[in-house]
Amino acid sequence: MTESFAVGDTFERVTEDVSREDFVRYAGASGDFNPIHYDDPHARDAGYPSVFGQGMFTAGVASALVRETFGLAGLREYDTRFVAQVWPGDTLTTTLEITAVEDAADGTRVEADLVVTNDDGERVVDGGAVAVVE
Amino acid sequence: MPSLPLADLEAQVGDTHRTVEDFHVERGKVAEFARAIDDPDDVYLDEQAAREAGYDAIPAPPTFARTSFFPRYRPDGIDHDLGFELGFDRARVVHGQQRYEYERPLYVGDTLTGDTTLTEVYQRDGRGGGTMTFAVLRTDFTDESGSHVLSDYNTRIETGRAIRGEGE
């Protein structure tokens, strides 16, 4: 965990080449079993070129950077908006940028913007996190 | 459009249903979930590593409360609509947003209860045509002592027609 934060600090984490297996593993781990995420014929019938990742899979992948950066003890808010799909083969880059740092009664309150992009630089998730750190 | 008029959805705003019972945060499940989100950090896998990192026990990842989705934790009569009558066509429902507010981390050994409140419903014209109907469902999780641990805000959108979104 980083000791101190300043507005503009950025942190990054990359998850390479997500696959159908990753979506299936997430389905099993989470109970989030919509077949659109693991059954290709079903996904094509619904008008998609293939299965795509659960939004909550990407939210989980992005949470790894939040944990790395702030730890979990002081995490107060975590927010994710699902703006585009994650396809098999995508490499996901999560970026966290500190937007506010202020003294609080119980430590330092830090706010950050969160973005997850795919290989083409397209945003798939945006959101944010708030943590109180020592 | 949902099979129910918006007024019928609005009439349920503020209603609360018990939607999660006896939700055990299990060590094996936390490890499996951490691997599934590509974050197999020692704090999620090893009790001693968790304590050395300053946690009381093995913590769960920030989105772990999603596993309360398993039917195992649903009270009788509570299905996908969490006790509400939204009238949404599931084939056109996408997951728009997910937000969490935490009092503390979830820990292995916790047993939680969840109560879900419909906090907001509204409609908007979709870019691809048709009306999009939004429902925000807040689930408040409490531990065995009745203390609030976290709140989960799930935004569901019934799209006017199949659009590119996250199927839920």
Side-chain angles (χ1 to χ4, degrees):
Chain A
M1 205 190 314
T2 308
E3 293 292 313
S4 62
F5 298 95
V7 171
D9 286 354
T10 60
F11 304 86
E12 191 177 283
R13 194 175 203 267
V14 176
T15 294
E16 288 185 4
D17 198 15
V18 302
S19 65
R20 288 170 173 77
E21 185 182 352
D22 291 319
F23 306 155
V24 170
R25 185 178 290 127
Y26 181 78
S30 69
D32 204 343
F33 271 110
N34 186 324
I36 207 146
H37 302 304
Y38 58 82
D39 182 339
D40 262 323
H42 178 95
R44 284 196 294 270
D45 282 350
Y48 299 101
S50 75
V51 297
F52 54 91
Q54 298 90 346
M56 290 304 294
F57 165 72
T58 310
V61 166
S63 79
L65 180 63
V66 172
R67 176 198 58 73
E68 262 178 20
T69 307
F70 299 129
L72 299 170
L75 186 61
R76 292 289 171 267
E77 293 178 33
Y78 180 51
D79 186 20
T80 46
R81 266 189 344 115
F82 308 116
V83 295
Q85 280 135 324
V86 169
W87 303 104
D90 279 353
T91 287
L92 302 177
T93 301
T94 305
T95 306
L96 200 61
E97 178 175 354
I98 308 297
T99 56
V101 179
E102 55 190 48
D103 288 335
D106 45 354
T108 302
R109 187 174 188 278
V110 183
E111 294 180 25
D113 283 346
L114 175 97
V115 179
V116 183
T117 54
N118 63 20
D119 319 53
D120 298 328
E122 182 189 9
R123 284 177 180 227
V124 294
V125 164
D126 62 33
V130 176
V132 174
V133 298
E134 300 274 315
Chain B
M1 300 273 278
S3 62
L4 296 171
L6 186 63
D8 286 9
L9 273 61
E10 286 170 339
Q12 297 173 71
V13 169
D15 289 355
T16 301
H17 300 286
R18 172 67 41 95
T19 53
V20 180
E21 270 176 359
D22 212 21
F23 172 38
H24 293 297
V25 181
E26 296 169 49
R27 181 182 161 131
K29 201 75 214 171
V30 167
E32 182 188 355
F33 191 89
R35 289 192 179 99
I37 60 167
D38 188 34
D39 193 20
D41 191 77
D42 280 352
V43 297
Y44 292 139
L45 308 179
D46 180 74
E47 172 119 18
Q48 192 176 336
R51 289 188 188 280
E52 282 169 7
Y55 299 107
D56 298 337
I58 293 176
T63 59
F64 185 81
R66 186 62 163 187
T67 66
S68 67
F69 234 63
F70 282 105
R72 165 74 178 78
Y73 306 119
R74 292 271 183 251
D76 287 345
I78 297 295
D79 64 7
H80 182 264
D81 283 341
L82 305 177
F84 296 94
E85 287 186 40
L86 301 177
F88 281 13
D89 173 2
R90 276 192 74 179
R92 291 186 288 121
V93 173
V94 297
H95 188 184
Q97 181 171 2
Q98 182 75 27
R99 188 163 71 85
Y100 294 95
E101 293 175 359
Y102 308 93
E103 288 297 326
R104 65 166 176 84
L106 230 59
Y107 287 115
V108 165
D110 277 332
T111 300
L112 303 180
T113 299
D115 295 296
T116 302
T117 302
L118 182 63
T119 61
E120 212 180 341
V121 291
Y122 55 97
Q123 287 181 327
R124 193 185 281 168
D125 289 334
R127 266 182 302 174
T131 301
M132 296 167 72
T133 305
F134 292 69
V136 183
L137 296 150
R138 183 189 77 226
T139 302
D140 298 311
F141 289 89
T142 51
D143 64 16
E144 301 94 313
S145 69
S147 298
H148 175 246
V149 177
L150 67 100
S151 294
D152 159 328
Y153 294 77
N154 177 303
T155 302
R156 291 184 190 184
I157 309 168
E158 192 209 53
T159 58
R161 61 177 72 154
I163 60 154
R164 303 203 154 193
E166 203 271 304
E168 176 168 88

